[in-house]
Amino acid sequence: MSKSRLHPARKLIALGPSGPALLAEAVITLIRIRLGLTFSSLTRVQAGFLPAATLTRHLPPDALEQIAWSTRNMARLVPGASCLTQGLALQALLHRRSVASELKLGVRRDGPDGLAAHAWVVVDGRVVIGGAVRDLAPFAPIAGFGSGQK
């Protein structure tokens, strides 16, 4: 069984001794970003959480998955933590660890009269939060916001 398919209790144990700190960091970041998006603009939130820097560190896949898992699961505790909030929070957590990422925003036609929007985060060409690649296929990317990308 792969680590991403572990029962949530086992996944929590797999986070190790630093797990509680990571979960706390994730939920605090989610709350701050959610409030920022409520009372400010995306541009200002990004400027506050993603200061200009050249980020060159690469995390092992397990560490990257732990941070993404923590973000997804702690988002359940934050009312209104949309895909955009989760994506920005993950980007901020990765930025703090000197890992470059890209937040992508996309839209798809949602019925005859509307559009649906979605956000996801890509690290080293891999989607780490926001759904599986097959789920993202209907979304046409309209913007990408890099964090420390060369």
Side-chain angles (χ1 to χ4, degrees):
M1 180 183 280
S2 73
K3 285 190 179 186
S4 62
R5 302 273 187 222
L6 288 177
H7 184 275
R10 286 190 179 187
K11 186 76 168 188
L12 184 59
I13 292 167
L15 290 176
S18 63
L22 177 58
L23 294 172
E25 181 185 10
V27 76
I28 290 167
T29 302
L30 283 157
I31 291 167
R32 291 179 65 208
I33 286 176
R34 179 69 185 106
L35 289 171
L37 289 172
T38 299
F39 297 108
S40 189
S41 68
L42 172 61
T43 306
R44 284 195 173 157
V45 170
Q46 284 182 306
F49 283 93
L50 306 171
T54 300
L55 308 176
T56 58
R57 187 167 173 228
H58 295 277
L59 288 178
D62 285 351
L64 187 58
E65 174 54 32
Q66 287 177 346
I67 296 167
W69 183 87
S70 297
T71 304
R72 280 190 305 272
N73 282 279
M74 291 297 97
R76 296 176 185 171
L77 303 176
V78 180
S82 65
C83 55
L84 179 60
T85 302
Q86 291 177 51
L88 285 168
L90 178 59
Q91 217 178 14
L93 293 170
L94 294 173
H95 191 277
R96 288 182 201 140
R97 288 158 177 81
S98 297
V99 176
S101 62
E102 184 177 16
L103 175 72
K104 292 191 177 260
L105 303 178
V107 294
R108 73 166 187 229
R109 188 167 299 281
D110 198 27
D113 297 326
L115 294 175
H118 188 53
W120 62 96
V121 174
V122 176
V123 176
D124 294 329
R126 181 177 157 235
V127 176
V128 293
I129 198 167
V133 173
R134 69 180 174 279
D135 300 329
L136 300 173
F139 289 92
I142 58 169
F145 303 93
S147 163
Q149 304 231 323
K150 295 182 201 177

